[in-house]
Amino acid sequence: MIAGIELGGTKTVVAVGSSNGSILEEWRFPTTLPNETLGQAIAWIRERGTPDRIGIAGFGPVGIVKNRETYGKILATPKVGWAGFSITDLFASAFPACKLVLDTDVNAATLAEAKSGAAAGLDDVVYITIGTGIGAGILSGGRLIHGALHPEFGHFKVPRMTGDDFSGVCPFHHDCLEGLASGPAIAARWGMPAHELPSDHPAWDMEAWYLAHGILAVVAIVPPSRVIVGGGVSQSESLHPKIAKYLNQITAGYFGFSETDGFIVPPALGQEAGIRGALQLAIS
Amino acid sequence: MIAGIELGGTKTVVAVGSSNGSILEEWRFPTTLPNETLGQAIAWIRERGTPDRIGIAGFGPVGIVKNRETYGKILATPKVGWAGFSITDLFASAFPACKLVLDTDVNAATLAEAKSGAAAGLDDVVYITIGTGIGAGILSGGRLIHGALHPEFGHFKVPRMTGDDFSGVCPFHHDCLEGLASGPAIAARWGMPAHELPSDHPAWDMEAWYLAHGILAVVAIVPPSRVIVGGGVSQSESLHPKIAKYLNQITAGYFGFSETDGFIVPPALGQEAGIRGALQLAIS
């Protein structure tokens, strides 16, 4: 038996699964304080047995670089009670013989989408989420990239669209990709939240232009076979083809993909991605 | 016994080494036509024994994605006789029982610098070379990133420095990073080649600004512990501290490194990096 936990900012999902990663049973409940939330998850798992392996997908920022003192802990967060809390210490004391694998929620979702979702069977996949911030999970050669620093996909700079003088909303870098194209950036730029903007609003053209430039950097640095674009802001129906159109224009055919070949796709697993990914982490 | 070949555009280096990757004997000779050049390398190795493993560092572009029909071949190149030539087929027929490991010259150099050079002992290293083009080798979690497409680090877009209206020299994308900051870009922009520009010339400030923006994308996407900046254009003595200064300014402390902590460094192995890397490939 294996177990998985998707620890989200507002809800937590816990599941037990079989050794191939499929879900046998799951339970969703609200995320409250750390000891209470994780205590409920641990008790629920214990009622079902003792897992050999547990995969944990944590909301960010969470320390995932091994051999760092931050490993296993929730880092700076406005969520009351969570900053500095060690998820792995609590699970290690609850299940001392169990192997724990911790990763970010977006990395877990990337693994799930690459196993059985929008990039099923592919080894080189980037999953970009656009919501309150802009984050990414990167699977390269079948392995999730972690790197050595605090990974923050959205915080690099892209060119400005001609005529755009919006100052950007990132408190650190103003007009990095996240500062120009996250959900709060769209809301500040257009005076209404992304989900209220109709799909023919010019906001989506600009959003696609900026995302295409961000994806271009990913394509040049860790060439993926497919890029999944998800998160709340991505749910405008016209966004994915617009990104593909701009990406194709700016790459000028150089990287060998076309705007119509499914290189830019939405996620396929919906709400199930996180918990499925947590189980994939457990067996990875 | 192991062997390594560094196949360069103008010179080839062949070496035999011990199982820990150290060089026992090496030979440098000019690169001519493929059968002649590789035939000389094979004959030289045979005189010294039959290796168990051979590492090959090839000049680019070379097909390094396994299971592609281009694997092992030199791709489109102006070098007479080399386009489409299969390096791995020739070595496999010469040494049928031997394990071959092929990679690009920059990936091999990255491996060597991370083993015993400017990033000795580090698992997350980016090695950027700036010369005729801009390329990069990326070691992430101790493994070289290959990805799925034609990897071309220099071909993504960065913001324009205020007031810079140079059109860029990339035949595909005009003002991508390579189009704005490669050796030919410097020569076209300032009317003289990089090695003739004094170290206090404003060209170096602009060069550092653009490279810092390119490195920022790498830092956000595959957070490395150290970035090595090499290649002919990097040999201006003032370039590395200038890049570090700009990178520190634009990251605003966000990623947790400072401009004085050796995050941006020159390579350490000089001409030996390629052949040492080929031997590291053999034992990898």
Side-chain angles (χ1 to χ4, degrees):
Chain A
M1 176 185 138
I2 62 168
I5 295 104
E6 180 195 1
L7 179 64
T10 56
K11 67 157 175 33
T12 293
V13 189
V14 58
V16 290
S18 54
S19 58
N20 68 1
S22 63
I23 296 174
L24 298 172
E25 191 181 352
E26 74 175 59
W27 176 46
R28 291 174 183 257
F29 60 99
T31 301
T32 56
L33 287 169
N35 275 310
E36 182 183 32
T37 306
L38 298 177
Q40 286 174 292
I42 287 166
W44 187 89
I45 294 169
R46 276 206 180 119
E47 285 167 19
R48 280 146 189 88
T50 303
D52 303 316
R53 293 156 166 269
I54 302 181
I56 307 171
F59 66 85
V62 57
I64 58 168
V65 181
K66 290 204 173 142
N67 309 321
R68 288 273 177 97
E69 57 145 342
T70 51
Y71 180 77
K73 294 178 183 167
I74 297 287
L75 307 177
T77 175
K79 255 191 97 62
V80 174
W82 285 90
F85 188 86
S86 173
I87 303 172
T88 48
D89 283 356
L90 189 69
F91 274 91
S93 67
F95 300 103
C98 173
K99 187 181 175 202
L100 296 176
V101 183
L102 170 74
D103 217 318
T104 62
D105 45 7
V106 64
N107 275 350
T110 306
L111 211 51
E113 292 286 353
K115 177 73 182 176
S116 58
L122 299 181
D123 280 339
D124 296 280
V125 178
V126 174
Y127 184 175
I128 298 174
T129 59
I130 308 138
T132 310
I134 296 186
I138 302 174
L139 191 74
S140 178
R143 292 161 65 102
L144 289 165
I145 288 185
H146 291 119
L149 299 163
H150 177 198
E152 285 290 348
F153 174 77
H155 294 277
F156 65 98
K157 301 229 176 182
V158 292
R160 284 299 190 117
M161 198 171 183
T162 305
D164 178 29
D165 59 2
F166 177 64
S167 60
V169 301
C170 175
F172 301 97
H173 315 112
H174 307 293
D175 63 350
C176 59
L177 182 63
E178 182 167 308
L180 292 174
S182 62
I186 293 173
R189 192 195 280 280
W190 301 102
M192 66 178 90
H195 68 267
E196 291 181 13
L197 292 165
S199 66
D200 60 352
H201 192 284
W204 295 113
D205 207 56
M206 179 177 275
E207 180 71 8
W209 193 93
Y210 281 118
L211 293 175
H213 282 79
I215 290 168
L216 175 62
V218 172
V219 167
I221 292 171
V222 287
S225 302
R226 191 167 296 165
V227 176
I228 303 168
V229 179
V233 169
S234 74
Q235 288 170 21
S236 165
E237 61 183 291
S238 64
L239 186 62
H240 294 84
K242 282 198 174 89
I243 297 170
K245 182 192 74 175
Y246 278 122
L247 186 61
N248 205 46
Q249 279 178 17
I250 58 179
T251 56
Y254 190 74
F255 292 96
F257 53 79
S258 74
E259 70 183 85
T260 54
D261 63 3
F263 186 71
I264 305 289
V265 298
L269 299 179
Q271 284 205 11
E272 287 298 302
I275 190 63
R276 286 209 210 178
L279 289 171
Q280 287 298 322
L281 285 173
I283 63 175
S284 68
Chain B
M1 177 184 134
I2 63 169
I5 294 105
E6 180 194 1
L7 178 64
T10 59
K11 67 157 176 34
T12 293
V13 189
V14 58
V16 290
S18 54
S19 58
N20 68 0
S22 64
I23 297 175
L24 298 172
E25 192 181 350
E26 74 174 61
W27 176 45
R28 288 174 185 259
F29 60 98
T31 302
T32 55
L33 289 169
N35 275 309
E36 183 183 30
T37 306
L38 298 177
Q40 287 174 290
I42 287 166
W44 187 89
I45 293 168
R46 277 205 179 119
E47 285 167 18
R48 280 146 189 88
T50 303
D52 303 315
R53 291 155 167 271
I54 302 181
I56 307 172
F59 66 84
V62 58
I64 58 167
V65 182
K66 290 204 172 140
N67 309 320
R68 288 275 176 94
E69 56 148 341
T70 52
Y71 181 77
K73 294 178 182 167
I74 297 286
L75 308 177
T77 174
K79 256 192 96 59
V80 174
W82 285 90
F85 187 87
S86 173
I87 303 171
T88 47
D89 283 357
L90 189 68
F91 274 91
S93 65
F95 300 105
C98 174
K99 186 181 178 203
L100 297 176
V101 183
L102 171 74
D103 217 316
T104 62
D105 44 7
V106 65
N107 275 351
T110 305
L111 212 49
E113 293 285 354
K115 177 73 182 175
S116 58
L122 299 181
D123 280 340
D124 295 280
V125 177
V126 174
Y127 185 176
I128 298 175
T129 60
I130 308 136
T132 310
I134 295 185
I138 302 174
L139 191 74
S140 179
R143 293 162 65 104
L144 289 165
I145 288 186
H146 291 118
L149 299 162
H150 176 199
E152 286 289 349
F153 174 76
H155 294 277
F156 65 97
K157 302 229 177 185
V158 292
R160 285 300 191 114
M161 198 170 181
T162 305
D164 179 28
D165 60 1
F166 177 64
S167 61
V169 301
C170 176
F172 301 96
H173 316 112
H174 308 293
D175 63 350
C176 59
L177 182 63
E178 182 168 307
L180 292 174
S182 63
I186 294 173
R189 192 195 280 278
W190 301 101
M192 65 178 89
H195 68 267
E196 292 180 13
L197 292 166
S199 66
D200 59 352
H201 192 286
W204 295 114
D205 206 57
M206 179 179 274
E207 180 71 7
W209 193 93
Y210 281 118
L211 292 175
H213 281 80
I215 290 168
L216 175 62
V218 172
V219 167
I221 292 171
V222 287
S225 302
R226 192 167 294 166
V227 176
I228 304 168
V229 179
V233 169
S234 74
Q235 289 170 21
S236 165
E237 59 183 293
S238 63
L239 187 62
H240 294 83
K242 282 198 175 88
I243 297 170
K245 181 192 74 175
Y246 278 122
L247 185 61
N248 205 47
Q249 278 177 17
I250 58 179
T251 56
Y254 191 73
F255 292 97
F257 53 80
S258 74
E259 70 184 85
T260 55
D261 63 2
F263 187 71
I264 305 289
V265 297
L269 299 179
Q271 284 205 9
E272 287 297 304
I275 189 63
R276 286 210 211 178
L279 289 172
Q280 287 299 323
L281 285 173
I283 62 174
S284 69

